[in-house]
Amino acid sequence: MGFDYIQYWEDNYKGGGTSGRGSFGELADFKAEVVNGVIAQYGLSRVVEFGCGDGNQLSLMHYPHYLGLDISPTAVQLCAEKYGRDATKSFMLYRPGAFFNRGFLETDLTVCLDVLYHITEEADYRATLRDLFSPKPRVVVIYTRITRQTEPQVVETIRDRDIFHYLAEFEDYYVHELIPQRYKDQSSADFIILRRAGD
């Protein structure tokens, strides 16, 4: 049996693990600076995040109204408890391939930070991208490893893909900006900011 990335992250959080170093310190501050800047620049209010993790990164974000989704039930529970008194934040369990949003859920912004390259299953990767665009957001913020590889490469919990090949499927969106990693000695992820055409 192959590597089960969903079980890996559930075991991680259940065992007291965190979302990783990218959700703390300089990297977390960098991500918050970029995302909060996008929110302020475009006046975005309703946000859906794919991969809320342990909620530490969320503590730095200025989201007016927020829905956090995660594949780990334990992570969802941790966030629900951590932000239990915050009426602007909701959390739900997410499963790629079992998220059928046909126009019911719409939002201003979708966010996916340090998640895509951890999705080792090809079908789940494609489903997550489809779901990321399904709420018809004005802006999509992706923070991931950018590579031009044509062949997927699996290294334990990481699978690299040419993300721009996949993004071409979403014709209503275009890449508005690429923001390179500020701390290259700590992370190989960069920002991709997409906007909806005609917005």
Side-chain angles (χ1 to χ4, degrees), residues 85-103:
R85 295 178 180 237
D86 188 341
T88 69
K89 294 179 176 60
S90 299
F91 303 92
M92 294 181 184
L93 185 64
Y94 171 71
R95 279 291 181 269
F99 183 83
F100 302 105
N101 179 35
R102 294 171 178 148

Side-chain angles (χ1 to χ4, degrees), residues 68-165:
L69 307 175
D70 204 277
I71 57 171
S72 163
T74 298
V76 171
Q77 189 63 40
L78 286 171
C79 288
E81 292 172 359
K82 183 173 184 177
Y83 298 97
R85 295 178 180 237
D86 188 341
T88 69
K89 294 179 176 60
S90 299
F91 303 92
M92 294 181 184
L93 185 64
Y94 171 71
R95 279 291 181 269
F99 183 83
F100 302 105
N101 179 35
R102 294 171 178 148
F104 181 83
L105 178 64
E106 293 191 2
T107 190
D108 300 318
L109 169 68
T110 54
V111 178
C112 191
L113 310 175
D114 274 324
V115 169
L116 290 175
Y117 58 88
H118 285 300
I119 303 175
T120 54
E121 292 294 325
E122 179 70 9
D124 287 3
Y125 183 86
R126 290 179 177 273
T128 302
L129 278 177
R130 285 196 302 270
D131 296 340
L132 193 61
F133 287 89
S134 75
K136 300 179 181 177
R138 291 170 53 202
V139 181
V140 177
V141 173
I142 296 172
Y143 178 79
T144 192
R145 291 159 58 100
I146 298 177
T147 144
R148 295 293 184 173
Q149 289 183 206
T150 54
E151 290 297 323
Q153 176 186 350
V154 179
V155 181
E156 199 172 39
T157 64
I158 292 175
R159 181 169 181 175
D160 285 326
R161 300 171 177 86
D162 180 359
I163 188 171
F164 295 109
H165 168 75

